[in-house]
Amino acid sequence: MAASIAGVFSDDLKNAVEGSKILVVGAGGIGCEILKNLVLSGFKEIEIIDLDTIDVSNLNRQFLFQKQHVGKAKAVVARESALSFNPDVNIVAHHDSIIKPEYSVNYFKQFKMVLNALDNRAARNHVNRMCLAADIPLIESGTAGYDGQVELIKKGMTKCYECEPKAAQKTFPGCTIRNTPSEPIHCIVWGKHLFNQLFGEYDADNDVSPDTEDPEAAGSAGETALTSKANDQGDVERVTTRQWAQQSGYDSSKIFHKLFHDDIEYLLSMHNLWEKRRKPTPLKMDELPDAVAGSSKDNAAEGLKDQRPWSIVECAQIFSRSLQNLKTKFEELQSKNKDDHLVWDKDDKDAMDFVAACANIRAHIFGIPQKTRFDIKSMAGNIIPAIATTNAIIAGLVVLNAFNILRNQLENCHSVYCRLKPNHRGQLIVPERGLNPPNEKCYVCRDSPQITVCVDVNVLTVKELEERVLKSLLNMVQPDAVKDSTGDVVISSEEGEMEGTYHKTLAEMGILDGTVLSVDDFVQNYSLQVIVNHRKAEHNKPDIEIVGDQSKCHAKEEGEKSNGESALNKEEDEDDLMLLDETPTTPAADRKRKPESVEESPAAKKLRSCNVGDGDIIIL
Ligand SMILES: Nc1ncnc2c1ncn2[C@@H]1O[C@H](COP(=O)(O)OP(=O)(O)OP(=O)(O)O)[C@@H](O)[C@H]1O
Ligand SMILES: [Zn+2]
């Protein structure tokens, strides 16, 4: 079935459709729909890129894929299926990440426009910058359940993807997670942190043991944490949760006892915490209640396996079993590479069982309602079910906007929102009235981008400046930084060149209050001036603050709230809706995306909202 557009479009538009090369980024829910629309509309030159392979869970809505394609590259199969609708098209498929350096600005320049169909901020930020640098129009799109959005991004004409701060992400204070949980999500976040403490990427900020520095508990707790033991001299020797577990041979009973009994006893010793709260109840493995909270045993046995509530005895059994399975997987990985670790994945049975069991045991201890494995999976994975119809509507709007671009009517490419409930005009699909002009202060798309970074120059190392500030917060891929005044190289994208200096502090490198760094990321063809502002590190204050306007850095009064002045946002969430979004902040240049971290609010499909451990970074 070859598409025929003669007589449907004007000659001009028909010629433009046939003569324009289009890049589609992402071959998931929206990407498949866009590709189908493009080939049926008569486009002849299309490239599509996706780094992922097809999962069974994609088949309910990504209609270019079928059961026999599971495990194959999305971009490749999408191309094959789309060609069956219209073999008369040249489609080039890349099974790859768009963030890789080979997809350079010159690569982008060959396209008339780029259509994004992504699910994470890192990739969206990157494509945004590439399209700004190549000066080609980008159509951004995203969906989250019934909500969806399409937006044109064109340099100098509209807001860029990074012009406005993304929706504030719900975060939970570390002490709520560690000491005083009051909602099921707090226990789920704790369970995911525990997974990482035992088997995942170590993050000191996501500790799970009682937080002795909880201001609310001040003065009421002893000094010795339960993960510490006194040595012969009476000094306290601190061990990490992982070291402790390893030393105990990952003994399920010992770990259970420490987490769910000893740590809870310790929390109880912080008397101030419980003056106005229900006290937690320490549990012993051999004295667990066999009842299922809120239902009789018979009821509990009914229903789908995942949706059946577990008794605490069952939770403990599942805890032990999944712990042992994870231990085996972890040790296997480590025997090959001692730096390797497990990555929490909601679709990994043991990882999911472990978090569900831990979360429910902890919930029981704190008198918090328990959740089924099914509910926990969706909360921990931030899953809002994707709706095929929303994806189809959004993809249709994307291609209508593509026609506007081809007609040179960019001013008609208004942003469009798709909503579950009609607005006061009875509209489900709501267009904006005009284009949104760029934010003059945007550090990404304004003419001479500049940003101020407030840090303690005696503490922050060059490596941290590169990893945490430039790559993680500012979404650069391969930055080079030089001191403006002297031209001295501080960070080099050449491997090994700066090895000797990476662990030096900024001050040791002569980077002091007011030093200006010129930072270039050749991959993104992106340059930025970074003004360093020294601010003494203080306990309980973020160690990095970034502002788009230097004066804000000094003017900020204690307790002043972030006002979303700049376009920065810490997390890259994985969701399909660009304004809601979520993930690991470091752009996943050439690897498969990491499953998302635990703590987020379910505001969008896979919306990562909270990042408990990131309390030390504030973005204004
Ligand atoms: N850096 C990247 N380069 C290329 N493709 C990417 C990149 N990051 C994400 N993608 C792709 O964008 C697509 C987004 O599609 P979608 O939101 O439907 O996600 P999905 O993974 O297919 O579905 P789900 O998240 O619901 O399992 C995915 O196929 C994903 O692999
Ligand atoms: Zn901008």
Side-chain angles (χ1 to χ4, degrees):
M1 172 181 56
S4 169
I5 55 171
V8 178
F9 296 153
S10 67
D11 282 353
D12 285 352
L13 181 57
K14 173 178 172 290
N15 292 338
V17 164
E18 289 179 351
S20 302
K21 196 166 173 181
I22 310 285
L23 174 63
V24 181
V25 188
I30 299 180
C32 282
E33 287 290 326
I34 290 181
L35 186 65
K36 177 255 299 171
N37 292 347
L38 291 178
V39 300
L40 291 177
S41 303
F43 284 86
K44 298 247 182 273
E45 292 285 337
I46 303 168
E47 293 204 12
I48 184 154
I49 179 164
D50 197 298
L51 51 68
D52 217 347
T53 51
I54 296 162
D55 191 85
V56 176
S57 65
N58 300 144
L59 302 182
N60 66 350
R61 65 190 184 286
Q62 298 174 19
F63 300 123
L64 299 182
F65 309 143
Q66 291 159 12
K67 209 170 161 190
Q68 70 269 22
H69 298 135
V70 169
K72 294 189 175 163
K74 283 184 168 179
V76 173
V77 176
R79 172 185 176 273
E80 284 163 9
S81 302
L83 283 177
S84 71
F85 303 140
N86 185 354
D88 194 20
V89 188
N90 180 22
I91 306 178
V92 177
H94 305 272
H95 179 202
D96 217 344
S97 168
I98 193 63
I99 296 177
K100 276 192 173 172
E102 50 260 47
Y103 304 105
S104 62
V105 175
N106 281 341
Y107 170 81
F108 275 79
K109 276 187 176 157
Q110 63 180 305
F111 300 102
K112 178 77 184 171
M113 71 186 86
V114 176
L115 311 182
N116 259 1
L118 284 162
D119 62 356
N120 64 86
R121 271 189 202 163
R124 283 183 168 125
N125 285 337
H126 183 78
V127 176
N128 176 50
R129 293 175 189 194
M130 299 307 277
C131 290
L132 290 170
D135 199 11
I136 51 171
L138 164 65
I139 303 180
E140 244 308 345
S141 62
T143 63
Y146 293 99
D147 292 336
Q149 181 175 341
V150 178
E151 176 178 67
L152 168 71
I153 293 173
K154 177 69 175 65
K155 190 178 176 182
M157 190 174 192
T158 70
K159 280 193 191 329
C160 81
Y161 181 67
E162 296 169 83
C163 265
E164 295 297 336
K166 301 291 176 275
Q169 319 234 335
K170 194 173 176 206
T171 59
F172 303 114
C175 43
T176 303
I177 302 301
R178 294 170 65 180
N179 292 356
T180 53
S182 57
E183 293 173 24
I185 186 70
H186 299 153
C187 301
I188 296 169
V189 168
W190 182 87
K192 278 180 78 175
H193 286 178
L194 176 63
F195 175 93
N196 280 334
Q197 293 288 321
L198 294 178
F199 307 111
E201 190 167 10
Y202 179 71
D203 182 349
D205 290 332
N206 289 346
D207 204 338
V208 288
S209 52
D211 180 4
T212 53
E213 288 170 11
D214 186 338
E216 211 190 319
S220 68
E223 263 300 295
T224 313
L226 289 168
T227 46
S228 315
K229 64 177 194 290
N231 64 16
D232 294 345
Q233 285 78 47
D235 298 332
V236 169
E237 232 177 66
R238 288 190 178 267
V239 291
T240 63
T241 306
R242 181 173 308 178
Q243 284 165 336
W244 184 87
Q246 280 171 335
Q247 282 163 13
S248 80
Y250 284 96
D251 182 303
S252 312
S253 319
K254 281 191 187 155
I255 294 181
F256 187 100
H257 198 77
K258 173 190 155 17
L259 294 171
F260 302 120
H261 185 275
D262 292 350
D263 279 2
I264 305 301
E265 289 283 11
Y266 187 76
L267 283 176
L268 284 168
S269 77
M270 299 159 114
H271 304 293
N272 296 357
L273 295 181
W274 316 111
E275 274 171 10
K276 292 185 187 137
R277 286 190 183 88
R278 173 199 181 279
K279 286 184 183 173
T281 317
L283 286 180
K284 287 196 173 155
M285 213 172 186
D286 48 5
E287 295 169 11
L288 297 176
D290 193 16
V292 176
S295 58
S296 76
K297 258 196 132 188
D298 290 346
N299 285 345
E302 286 171 6
L304 293 173
K305 206 169 131 234
D306 250 22
Q307 300 186 21
R308 187 176 61 79
W310 294 339
S311 72
I312 295 302
V313 169
E314 229 177 334
C315 287
Q317 288 160 354
I318 293 166
F319 165 82
S320 301
R321 194 171 57 228
S322 55
L323 181 80
Q324 292 316 309
N325 291 344
L326 291 169
K327 171 197 170 216
T328 309
K329 285 184 201 165
F330 182 61
E331 288 177 347
E332 254 173 50
L333 274 184
Q334 293 237 313
S335 66
K336 290 183 200 132
N337 172 2
K338 71 173 179 32
D339 294 328
D340 215 347
H341 53 78
L342 299 181
V343 175
W344 190 81
D345 179 356
K346 66 177 170 31
D347 294 320
D348 178 291
K349 183 177 180 306
D350 293 315
M352 190 55 233
D353 279 351
F354 180 78
V355 168
C358 288
N360 272 335
I361 297 170
R362 191 161 166 92
H364 176 82
I365 288 170
F366 285 88
I368 298 167
Q370 283 156 238
K371 293 272 170 194
T372 64
R373 186 184 188 278
F374 181 84
D375 288 338
I376 293 174
K377 184 171 177 179
S378 95
M379 290 168 84
N382 268 309
I383 302 165
I384 289 187
I387 309 280
T389 321
T390 318
N391 285 343
I393 294 170
I394 291 300
L397 291 166
V398 166
V399 176
L400 289 179
N401 266 348
F403 294 151
N404 279 332
I405 292 174
L406 295 181
R407 290 189 190 102
N408 288 322
Q409 293 173 351
L410 272 73
E411 67 283 3
N412 289 342
C413 292
H414 300 181
S415 298
V416 183
Y417 302 88
C418 187
R419 294 281 174 246
L420 171 61
K421 292 197 176 132
N423 66 4
H424 62 281
R425 291 205 189 88
Q427 296 169 306
L428 282 174
I429 296 175
V430 188
E432 282 199 344
R433 292 194 177 180
L435 296 182
N436 292 310
N439 173 0
E440 283 169 16
K441 289 188 175 168
C442 175
Y443 82 105
V444 173
C445 69
R446 75 176 173 192
D447 278 346
S448 48
Q450 199 176 68
I451 201 153
T452 299
V453 177
C454 307
V455 293
D456 189 332
V457 295
N458 297 311
V459 175
L460 199 85
T461 63
V462 173
K463 190 171 168 55
E464 286 175 315
L465 178 70
E466 176 175 6
E467 296 296 331
R468 296 182 59 200
V469 179
L470 301 181
K471 290 188 177 169
S472 193
L473 294 172
L474 300 177
N475 287 298
M476 294 191 164
V477 178
Q478 280 179 19
D480 290 275
V482 295
K483 270 199 272 174
D484 240 20
S485 51
T486 59
D488 290 347
V489 179
V490 180
I491 292 168
S492 169
S493 54
E494 294 293 324
E495 222 170 285
E497 201 179 305
M498 305 298 294
E499 247 164 34
T501 56
Y502 268 9
H503 294 287
K504 291 194 173 172
T505 62
L506 300 191
E508 285 167 346
M509 292 293 286
I511 302 170
L512 306 168
D513 187 49
T515 300
V516 179
L517 301 173
S518 287
V519 186
D520 287 300
D521 184 348
F522 291 107
V523 174
Q524 299 181 334
N525 197 10
Y526 176 61
S527 303
L528 179 68
Q529 267 199 331
V530 173
I531 302 163
V532 176
N533 236 274
H534 172 64
R535 195 190 55 190
K536 206 169 166 342
E538 276 177 58
H539 181 62
N540 273 345
K541 271 207 157 182
D543 64 348
I544 299 174
E545 280 189 73
I546 292 185
V547 288
D549 178 346
Q550 187 175 4
S551 59
K552 298 273 177 347
C553 193
H554 289 304
K556 195 166 178 299
E557 296 294 328
E558 178 141 352
E560 191 183 330
K561 288 265 160 27
S562 120
N563 60 2
E565 185 83 37
S566 91
L568 298 176
N569 203 310
K570 159 93 179 76
E571 318 72 324
E572 19 173 303
D573 309 60
E574 268 185 44
D575 66 52
D576 308 39
L577 187 64
M578 55 196 176
L579 291 190
L580 299 178
D581 356 65
E582 93 210 82
T583 285
T585 312
T586 309
D590 51 2
R591 59 192 159 81
K592 222 174 133 129
R593 288 164 301 132
K594 267 189 2 178
E596 64 272 48
S597 68
V598 187
E599 51 284 4
E600 0 309 293
S601 79
K605 169 176 159 276
K606 286 192 173 180
L607 171 64
R608 284 161 201 249
S609 62
C610 71
N611 216 338
V612 174
D614 290 332
D616 56 347
I617 296 170
I618 281 192
I619 307 220
L620 302 177

